[in-house]
């Protein structure tokens, strides 16, 4: 992974990242969890430590790229 920049800027969409984004969307959209709880669950499940503002940015970008039908 590149040095510097945010996590969102550094990731390439591989299988793990796509799974992380899908899981994040499920936590926020389906389970209606808050950002802190979603962050904690992602940290435990994927062993990543992504700050809440970056999770929100990642979530918003995923919605733009993949609008619901």
């Amino acid at each position: 992974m590149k040095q510097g920049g945010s996590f969102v800027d550094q990731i390439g969409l591989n299988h793990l990242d796509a799974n992380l984004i899908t899981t994040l969307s499920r936590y926020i959209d389906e389970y209606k969890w808050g950002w802190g709880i979603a962050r904690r669950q992602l940290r435990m499940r994927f062993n990543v430590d992504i700050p809440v503002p970056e999770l929100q940015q990642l979530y918003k970008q995923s919605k733009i790229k993949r609008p619901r039908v």
Side-chain angles (χ1 to χ4, degrees):
M1 203 176 273
K2 294 185 254 179
Q3 294 296 323
S6 70
F7 177 81
V8 174
D9 294 333
Q10 294 176 14
I11 65 170
L13 279 180
N14 59 35
H15 179 69
L16 176 65
D17 298 328
N19 195 12
L20 186 144
I21 292 167
T22 302
T23 303
L24 173 62
S25 294
R26 184 172 65 246
Y27 289 167
I28 301 300
D29 295 338
E30 293 179 30
Y31 301 166
K32 307 294 185 207
W33 286 355
W35 291 103
I37 294 171
R39 177 181 184 230
R40 204 170 319 135
Q41 290 296 320
L42 292 172
R43 186 172 51 219
M44 289 189 291
R45 182 170 180 175
F46 295 101
N47 195 29
V48 294
D49 192 17
I50 307 170
V52 168
E54 291 186 30
L55 282 177
Q56 292 170 333
Q57 181 183 358
L58 186 62
Y59 175 80
K60 288 176 187 173
Q61 286 177 355
S62 74
K63 294 299 179 183
I64 292 170
K65 292 178 184 176
R66 193 180 42 130
R68 294 192 105 159
V69 180

